[in-house]
């Protein structure tokens, strides 16, 4: 399995960080997890096969996570040498079909009818079979009504992504169990403990969550720029009691299950 951080930014625009987007490849599956502003250009800039995306997984509907969705479908409709025939499946929270029909009403029918089949599968159960022998599991998070964390398993490899989430009482255990034992846990860590609201993670919350999940590697993303520039975020996680390997990722960082 191959994983690439395409967009590691936040709602605050930064020249070197796009909106949330991760690329995952396993066998025939080429998956985008979230598709924030700049994602399509980011995928192209990193030399990844934007033409061949098979699945788009959405964690929630905030625009820093979905802003490039219309652009992706516009490029797949008008930017290819030959019309695409392969279908694309969108996996998203309840409300994803409504989101796409509203996007289509605003910018054009290509969002739902780009000339190839677009299947929209809303999370209504805990797990789904993707192509390429991948399994997608989902778990609601405390961020917006529709927000979910996702876990993608292929063979003996698993990665998980918190999406955006807070950590209310009891969630350390339940969300931590959902995220447990993965090779790479991608986790948001938006703001400092003193500044964070109820619906995001901070170093203390993430240290508790990751301490429960115990991933082989913790990728920290979605760190607000001033917090990231003024602080050693990995050091704060260690100070909060997290002893595992941590990498505060930037756009273009990658990981592979192959040695
Ligand atoms: Zn959000």
């Amino acid at each position: 399995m191959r994983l690439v951080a395409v967009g590691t930014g936040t709602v605050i625009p930064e020249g070197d960080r796009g909106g949330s987007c991760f690329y995952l490849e396993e066998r025939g599956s080429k998956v985008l997890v979230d598709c924030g502003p700049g994602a399509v250009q980011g995928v192209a800039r990193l030399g990844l096969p934007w033409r061949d995306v098979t699945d788009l997984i959405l964690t929630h509907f905030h625009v820093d996570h979905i802003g490039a969705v219309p652009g992706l479908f516009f490029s797949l409709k008008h930017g290819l040498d030959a019309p695409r025939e392969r279908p694309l499946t969108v996996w998203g929270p309840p409300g994803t079909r409504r989101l796409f029909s509203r996007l289509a009403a605003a910018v054009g029918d290509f969002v739902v009818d780009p000339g190839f089949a677009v299947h929209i599968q809303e999370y209504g159960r805990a797990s789904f079979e993707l192509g390429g022998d991948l399994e997608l599991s989902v778990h609601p998070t405390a961020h917006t009504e529709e927000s979910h964390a996702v876990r993608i398993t292929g063979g003996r490899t698993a990665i998980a992504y918190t999406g955006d989430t807070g950590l209310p009482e009891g969630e350390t255990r339940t969300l931590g169990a959902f995220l447990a034992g993965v090779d790479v846990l991608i986790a948001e860590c938006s703001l400092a403990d003193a500044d964070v609201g109820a619906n995001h993670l901070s170093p203390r919350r993430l240290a508790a969550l990751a301490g429960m999940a115990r991933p082989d590697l913790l990728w920290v993303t979605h760190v607000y720029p001033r917090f990231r520039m003024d602080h050693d975020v990995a050091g704060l996680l260690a100070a909060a009691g997290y002893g595992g390997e941590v990498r505060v990722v930037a756009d273009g960082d990658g990981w592979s299950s192959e040695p």
Side-chain angles (χ1 to χ4, degrees):
M1 192 183 289
R2 180 183 180 208
L3 175 66
V4 180
V6 176
T8 58
T10 65
V11 66
I12 299 175
E14 295 180 83
D16 57 351
R17 285 174 195 254
S20 295
C21 179
F22 296 87
Y23 172 83
L24 188 148
E25 188 176 309
E26 166 84 353
R27 299 175 194 246
S29 288
K30 296 176 173 63
V31 182
L32 293 184
V33 184
D34 283 347
C35 191
V40 183
Q41 285 72 19
V43 167
R45 186 168 54 244
L46 295 168
L48 301 170
W50 62 269
R51 296 171 181 82
D52 304 321
V53 169
T54 57
D55 299 272
L56 170 62
I57 295 173
L58 300 177
T59 61
H60 68 295
F61 303 152
H62 275 158
V63 172
D64 57 327
H65 293 251
I66 63 149
V69 166
L72 173 65
F73 285 90
F74 203 59
S75 293
L76 291 176
K77 180 175 172 68
H78 296 296
L80 303 182
D81 294 334
R84 176 180 166 127
E85 292 181 3
R86 187 173 195 169
L88 193 154
T89 306
V90 180
W91 309 83
T96 299
R97 269 188 212 97
R98 182 162 171 262
L99 170 72
F100 272 68
S101 64
R102 292 171 87 175
L103 286 172
V107 301
D109 286 342
F110 65 87
V111 178
V112 288
D113 184 17
F116 53 90
V118 176
H119 303 301
I120 298 178
Q121 176 72 56
E122 296 187 348
Y123 306 149
R125 55 181 196 269
S127 70
F128 304 87
E129 298 288 330
L130 275 67
D133 292 335
L134 291 175
E135 182 177 290
L136 168 68
S137 307
V138 300
H139 183 87
T141 65
H143 180 66
T144 58
E145 192 182 342
E146 80 284 359
S147 294
H148 282 72
V150 298
R151 177 182 178 121
I152 300 155
T153 307
R156 287 186 301 185
T157 306
I159 70 116
Y161 173 37
T162 61
D164 286 356
T165 187
L167 199 64
E169 193 78 30
E171 273 299 282
T172 307
R173 188 169 295 275
T174 51
L175 182 57
F178 172 75
L179 302 170
V182 295
D183 294 87
V184 183
L185 171 58
I186 308 165
E188 71 123 306
C189 189
S190 294
L191 290 159
D193 296 311
D195 301 326
V196 73
N199 63 348
H200 280 296
L201 295 178
S202 65
R204 203 179 298 154
R205 288 178 191 166
L206 178 54
L209 183 64
M212 185 78 190
R214 300 175 69 88
D216 283 356
L217 173 63
L218 177 62
W219 268 17
V220 180
T221 186
H222 199 279
V223 185
Y224 275 66
R226 192 175 300 167
F227 175 43
R228 191 183 68 244
M229 288 166 196
D230 291 352
H231 296 86
D232 169 10
V233 176
L236 291 174
L237 284 162
Y242 184 66
E245 190 181 342
V246 175
R247 181 168 183 184
V248 180
V249 286
D251 292 15
D253 285 348
W255 175 87
S256 172
S257 59
E258 306 296 320

